[in-house]
Amino acid sequence: MGTCASCGTEFAPLPSRARYCSNACRQRAYRQRSAGTSTVVAELPRYDDAFVGRETELAELLSLLREHRLLTLVGPAGVGKTRLAVELARRTRKIEVRSVELGRLSRPDQVVQAFAEAVGVYQHAGVALRTTLLAELGNRRILLLVDNCEHLVEECCDVVDALLSRCPNVQVLATSREALRAVGEAVYPVHGMDSDAVRLFVERAGVQGDQDAIAAVCARLDGLPLAVELAAEVSRSVPLSELGDRLDQRLDLLSDAGDQTRHRSLRAAVAWSHDLLTKYEKELFRRLALLPGGFGLDIAGVVQGGPVIGLLTALQAKSLVVRENDGRFRMLESVRLYAEERLREHDEWGVTAERIVEWLCGLGEPGVASSILAPEQVKALHQEYDNAVYAFAHLVAPHDERRLMLATMVLRVCFDRGYFAEAGAVLMQVLDQTPADARYRILALEYASLLAGHEGRHDEAVKFASEAVETAQAGGQQEIMCRLYRTLAGAYDGMADVPNTAWALRQSIEYGVRNGNEVSVAVSRQNLGWCLLNTGSVDEAGALIEDSLPVLKAHARADIVAIAVHTWGCIALEQGDLAAAGARFADGVRMSAHVPRAALESVEGRAVVAVLSGRHELGVRLLVACEQMRTTWVVSAQPWWRRKVDAALDVAREALSRAAFTRAVSAGRAMDVRHAVETALDKEIVRPAVLSDRQRMVVELVAQGMTNVQVAAKLGISHRTVESHVHNVKTALNLSTRAQLVAWAQQN
C-alpha cells in the first residue's frame, strides 16, 4: 500500500503513478507545484486539552535551544516527548516553525520528502529534491520540529547534518527514543513526571478525587504522561481504588478503545520501540522482565546466557532500559510488563525464572558457608532485595526449599532497614512448610531467632538459635558455629541471662579461633566486652575491645565498627576519662553518619559526655532528639546504656532551671537526624564538669566526713535530696564510690 502525496488516501500504487492515487491528484499536485507551493505545509500540531506541568524542563530546554542548533529530546514510549517539544516550539521567538512528522513513514527514501513537504518545497525537474531543499532553506530562518525519528535514525541524521552544515539559519528540535548522533547534537533525556503527574491526572479526569490515591496510581505508572492520561480516562468509569488494584493488567486496561494507534494505547506505544530491536536485543529485553528490582551486568548476563554489554547499551540507547545513578539498570514498570508478555509468548518464562532463582540463592550462599558477611556481600543483598521479594512471590513453587533462602535474604535486609514484620511472618510460614533436612534451614532458624528476639519472644529466640546450633553440629558445619553461637548469645542476652550469654560468646570465640574466622571472632569479642562491661569487669572488657577494634576497622562494615567504638567509648566513661570517651564517640558518629541508625548510640554517647562536661542544655537536646529517633525506628536501648542515659538526664535536670530544661527538650524534639549528627560533632562538647553551687556545698560537707543525714540537717533539706545530689555528682564526675568523691573534693 502507498499514500497519495496529494490527498493522503492509501492505495495500491502502479508503476506509472507511484505517488498519486489518481490522475486528478497528480494534476492537482502539478498545478500546486507550478504555483510555487508544495502539497503539504506542516504547522505545529494543535491539541484540544491544556499542557500541564514541565515548567522546570521547559526553562532548561529554552536555555539549551538558545545555545544549540540541534536539540534532541530522548525518552521511552509515552513519556511525552512530542507534547513537550511542541510546547517548547510554541514558546520560542523564531520567525517560522514547521513540524516534520516521521512516525508515519516506513522507508528511508521518504525522509527528504517529509522535510520538503513540511517546509513547502517542491521538486524541480531534473534536480534532486535534497538539493532543492538545501537551496530553499539556505537563507530561511526556521525551526524544524522533527518528530519520531527512532525508526529512521540514520537517514534523519544524514538530512539534519546536511541542513545544519549548509543552512546557517536552520535549527532542529527532534524527538526520538534514541539520540541521532549528529554533529553538534545536544541530547536532553525526558523522564516521567513527579508531582506534575497528579496535576495531569486531575486535569484529564476532570475531577479532584483522592489525592493520595491518585499519587499512588501515578507512581505505579512511573509518571508516564501517556499512561497517566489513559488512567485518568479510565477513572471516569472505574473507582480509583479498583484502578490501583488493576494496574498489573495496565497494558489491557490503559487504551483508547476508539483509537489503537501507538499514541493512544500503552501496549502499542511500547510495541513500536520493541519492533525496532534486533533479534538478540529482543531476547535480552524479554528475559529482563523478571527483574523488577533492576539489574547489573552480572545477572543480566545470567538471564541472557552470554555477553550483554553491547545489548544493554543498545536497549538503553533506545530508551527501553534506564541506567540509575548507582550504575544499575531497570525497566519502567509498563515496559517490563510488556516484556513479560513477550517472554511468555516465547515460552521462556520457566527457564528465565530458574536462572534468576539459582543466581539469587548463590548470592545468599555465603550466609550458609561462612561465619560473617563481607561489606560487599551485604551491599549486594540490599541491591537485589526487590528481586528476591519478587522471586519469592512469583518464581518459586510453594514447597521449593529455596524459598527458605529467599525469605532469609529478604529478612536480612529488612533488619537493616527497620521493617520486617511481613518478611518475618513469611519466614515462619516457610519454616513450617519445609523438611528438617532442607539445605537452607539452619540459616532460616538463625533469622527466626533474631526476629523472635527483636519482637520480645526471647524463649522462642533461644529455642530457634539452639536448634540451629544443634543442626549445624550434627551436620559438621564448623565454619558457621562462631556466628550461630553469637546468635544464641544474643537470644540469652534478651532474657537477661548474663552467665549463658557470656558462655555462648566464649564458645563463639573458641570455634572462630579454631576455624580462622578472624573478623567473626572480633565481633564476638566486642559482644563479650560489652557483656563484661555491663557486669562491671571494665578492665577485661577493655582488653577484648582493644583486640577486636583493629580487625573490625580493617575488615568490617561501618555499622559494626561503630558498635565497637561505642563500647570503647563506654569503657572510657567507666574509667572516668571524659576526653577519651568524647573522642571515641565522635569517631563512631563520623564513621556511621551516612547510616543514622548506626550512629544513634554514638550520638547519645556525645550527649552524655556533654552533660557530664557541663553543657547541660546541649546534652538534653541531643538525648531528646535520639529518643525520638528510637521511637520512630522502634529501636530500644540496652538496659545498661538506658541507665547511663537516664542518669545523664537527671544530672541535667538538677543543674538546669525548669525553664532551661523545658527549652532544651523542645529544641531536641525539633531536631532532625542530620542536625543531631552535626551537633554531636561540636568540638566544644568535652570540657571539665561544672557543679551547681548546691552540689558543691554538699560535696564539701561530705568531704568533712558528714553523713547524708548530717548534711541534710546542716543545709535544712531532706535526706533524700542529699542522696540525689550525691548520686548526680558522682555520675557527673564519673565516680563510683563515696571515697572517690571525697578524694576528688580534696584535690579540687
Side-chain angles (χ1 to χ4, degrees):
M1 295 294 291
T3 301
C4 179
S6 178
C7 68
T9 302
E10 290 191 354
F11 72 108
L14 297 175
S16 61
R17 54 181 193 231
R19 292 190 60 201
Y20 304 102
C21 64
S22 65
N23 284 329
C25 280
R26 186 169 63 253
Q27 291 170 1
R28 186 182 305 112
Y30 174 77
R31 289 193 296 271
Q32 289 173 326
R33 289 198 301 272
S34 300
T37 61
S38 74
T39 56
V40 180
V41 176
E43 304 287 349
L44 287 177
R46 296 187 179 278
Y47 298 94
D48 295 331
D49 47 29
F51 182 84
V52 176
R54 300 280 200 192
E55 293 302 324
T56 299
E57 291 96 325
L58 283 168
E60 293 172 350
L61 287 167
L62 282 168
S63 177
L64 287 172
L65 205 55
R66 286 191 289 268
E67 299 172 4
H68 301 277
R69 294 183 61 206
L70 171 58
L71 175 59
T72 305
L73 310 189
V74 174
V79 80
K81 301 181 295 295
T82 299
R83 190 69 187 270
L84 179 59
V86 170
E87 185 66 19
L88 176 63
R90 291 194 192 285
R91 299 191 185 193
T92 61
R93 297 181 178 179
K94 299 293 179 183
I95 296 174
E96 185 179 9
V97 180
R98 291 287 179 264
S99 177
V100 184
E101 170 55 51
L102 302 183
R104 60 184 176 81
L105 305 185
S106 58
R107 301 194 313 273
D109 60 347
Q110 295 175 310
V111 173
V112 173
Q113 180 181 334
F115 274 83
E117 290 181 345
V119 298
V121 173
Y122 57 89
Q123 185 169 8
H124 298 287
V127 181
L129 181 58
R130 175 177 171 137
T131 301
T132 305
L133 174 67
L134 294 174
E136 175 66 25
L137 296 182
N139 295 312
R140 278 171 68 174
R141 185 175 180 80
I142 188 171
L143 171 66
L144 299 178
L145 194 168
V146 187
D147 196 23
N148 298 307
C149 306
E150 55 271 354
H151 61 306
L152 296 167
V153 167
E154 292 184 10
E155 295 75 16
C156 185
C157 178
D158 183 49
V159 174
V160 168
D161 273 339
L163 285 170
L164 297 181
S165 63
R166 298 275 299 277
C167 308
N169 294 316
V170 169
Q171 191 171 19
V172 176
L173 172 61
T175 74
S176 179
R177 298 183 191 181
E178 62 178 302
L180 302 185
R181 302 177 191 85
V183 176
E185 179 183 27
V187 177
Y188 187 91
V190 181
H191 304 291
M193 303 171 85
D194 296 324
S195 58
D196 285 340
V198 175
R199 291 177 53 204
L200 179 63
F201 186 102
V202 170
E203 200 279 334
R204 297 297 188 258
V207 293
Q208 287 293 324
D210 183 336
Q211 295 292 294
D212 291 339
I214 293 173
V217 168
C218 293
R220 288 198 59 193
L221 296 174
D222 296 302
L224 285 177
L226 172 60
V228 170
E229 290 187 340
L230 293 173
E233 292 180 15
V234 172
S235 72
R236 295 170 182 170
S237 55
V238 177
L240 272 174
S241 57
E242 184 180 342
L243 176 60
D245 293 338
R246 295 174 61 185
L247 286 182
D248 284 342
Q249 292 80 44
R250 70 188 66 179
L251 297 179
D252 293 317
L253 183 67
L254 303 183
S255 63
D256 187 332
D259 185 355
Q260 284 294 309
T261 68
R262 66 191 177 92
H263 291 293
R264 299 308 301 165
S265 163
L266 195 55
R267 177 182 283 107
V270 181
W272 170 267
S273 293
H274 171 266
D275 293 345
L276 299 176
L277 300 178
T278 67
K279 172 187 175 183
Y280 295 110
E281 289 168 357
K282 288 178 180 177
E283 282 184 356
L284 178 60
F285 171 74
R286 61 180 179 261
R287 292 170 185 174
L288 294 173
L290 301 186
L291 294 169
F295 44 89
L297 294 176
D298 43 9
I299 181 60
V302 168
V303 299
Q304 180 67 359
V308 294
I309 294 179
L311 297 174
L312 265 181
T313 301
L315 292 178
Q316 182 189 4
K318 294 175 172 64
S319 301
L320 286 170
V321 301
V322 295
R323 190 170 188 179
E324 307 283 29
N325 292 333
D326 61 0
R328 285 168 62 82
F329 299 85
R330 75 177 180 95
M331 285 180 169
L332 299 181
E333 184 63 9
S334 300
V335 175
R336 190 191 69 78
L337 291 172
Y338 179 86
E340 188 172 353
E341 285 187 350
R342 304 287 73 73
L343 188 71
R344 293 182 183 278
E345 181 182 274
H346 285 77
D347 199 23
E348 294 176 347
W349 192 95
V351 172
T352 304
E354 182 64 23
R355 289 176 179 177
I356 290 171
V357 171
E358 279 297 303
W359 185 83
L360 287 172
C361 288
L363 192 67
E365 191 68 25
V368 178
S370 64
S371 195
I372 197 166
L373 297 181
E376 59 273 14
Q377 292 169 331
V378 175
K379 179 181 178 182
L381 292 178
H382 277 262
Q383 286 181 327
E384 301 301 336
Y385 170 79
D386 290 327
N387 289 330
V389 171
Y390 184 81
F392 180 90
H394 301 287
L395 305 187
V396 288
H399 297 289
D400 189 330
E401 66 180 49
R402 291 177 300 179
R403 297 183 87 218
L404 279 173
M405 170 58 85
L406 294 172
T408 302
M409 292 171 66
V410 169
L411 190 57
R412 170 67 182 78
V413 176
C414 287
F415 272 120
D416 287 347
R417 297 182 180 180
Y419 51 90
F420 39 78
E422 184 175 344
V426 167
L427 177 65
M428 301 309 298
Q429 176 189 359
V430 178
L431 264 175
D432 292 339
Q433 292 176 344
T434 51
D437 60 350
R439 171 166 171 70
Y440 303 119
R441 187 171 179 82
I442 293 173
L443 189 61
L445 285 168
E446 181 183 11
Y447 276 90
S449 174
L450 294 171
L451 176 67
H454 191 90
E455 294 179 343
R457 297 179 283 111
H458 302 300
D459 289 342
E460 289 184 49
V462 171
K463 169 180 163 293
F464 287 129
S466 298
E467 184 180 347
V469 167
E470 292 165 5
T471 306
Q473 284 177 330
Q477 293 176 259
Q478 299 293 304
E479 288 293 325
I480 60 172
M481 295 303 296
C482 178
R483 190 185 78 224
L484 293 180
Y485 267 112
R486 189 166 58 246
T487 301
L488 179 59
Y492 280 128
D493 183 57
M495 299 179 69
D497 186 343
V498 177
N500 272 325
T501 300
W503 167 79
L505 287 170
R506 294 187 192 280
Q507 288 290 106
S508 173
I509 294 169
E510 180 182 331
Y511 272 101
V513 170
R514 185 187 307 166
N515 295 312
N517 300 328
E518 183 183 32
V519 180
S520 192
V521 167
V523 174
S524 294
R525 281 179 172 154
Q526 125 68 32
N527 291 359
L528 181 58
W530 177 259
C531 178
L532 294 174
L533 174 64
N534 290 190
T535 58
S537 301
V538 180
D539 292 339
E540 187 179 357
L544 286 165
I545 299 301
E546 283 190 58
D547 284 344
S548 65
L549 258 180
V551 177
L552 295 176
K553 285 183 176 180
H555 302 291
R557 302 194 315 271
D559 58 328
I560 293 178
V561 180
I563 293 171
V565 170
H566 176 261
T567 304
W568 193 218
C570 290
I571 289 170
L573 271 182
E574 289 298 279
Q575 293 171 337
D577 190 343
L578 279 183
R584 292 169 186 176
F585 289 136
D587 283 345
V589 175
R590 277 190 289 268
M591 70 178 53
S592 53
H594 61 292
V595 186
R597 289 169 63 89
L600 176 60
E601 288 189 333
S602 290
V603 173
E604 285 177 328
R606 291 286 284 179
V608 170
V609 170
V611 170
L612 300 183
S613 297
R615 301 196 66 185
H616 302 107
E617 287 196 50
L618 175 61
V620 172
R621 291 203 303 270
L622 285 174
L623 289 175
V624 171
C626 289
E627 185 59 33
Q628 286 200 147
M629 294 179 215
R630 286 190 179 279
T631 301
T632 301
W633 298 330
V634 197
V635 177
S636 59
Q638 294 192 1
W640 184 89
W641 183 238
R642 179 79 264 173
R643 289 193 293 273
K644 290 291 181 185
V645 169
D646 289 344
L649 280 171
D650 287 342
V651 169
R653 189 179 286 107
E654 174 70 30
L656 295 170
S657 67
R658 179 176 296 181
F661 188 83
T662 302
R663 184 169 60 247
V665 169
S666 298
R669 288 173 179 163
M671 269 188 177
D672 59 18
V673 175
R674 179 189 57 79
H675 188 195
V677 168
E678 291 175 353
T679 303
L681 293 175
D682 184 342
K683 294 180 180 178
E684 298 298 319
I685 276 183
V686 181
R687 66 188 188 190
V690 177
L691 302 183
S692 67
D693 291 340
R694 176 55 60 89
Q695 287 174 331
R696 191 168 290 278
M697 290 172 62
V698 170
V699 170
E700 289 174 355
L701 294 175
V702 168
Q704 294 173 16
M706 289 186 180
T707 65
N708 288 353
V709 174
Q710 291 170 329
V711 173
K714 178 76 173 177
L715 298 178
I717 57 179
S718 72
H719 173 224
R720 290 188 177 278
T721 300
V722 174
E723 284 183 348
S724 177
H725 281 311
V726 171
H727 170 75
N728 289 339
V729 169
K730 287 195 295 184
T731 300
L733 299 176
N734 265 317
L735 304 176
S736 302
T737 66
R738 197 177 185 90
Q740 290 175 332
L741 181 60
V742 171
W744 180 88
Q746 292 171 348
Q747 294 172 2
N748 294 274

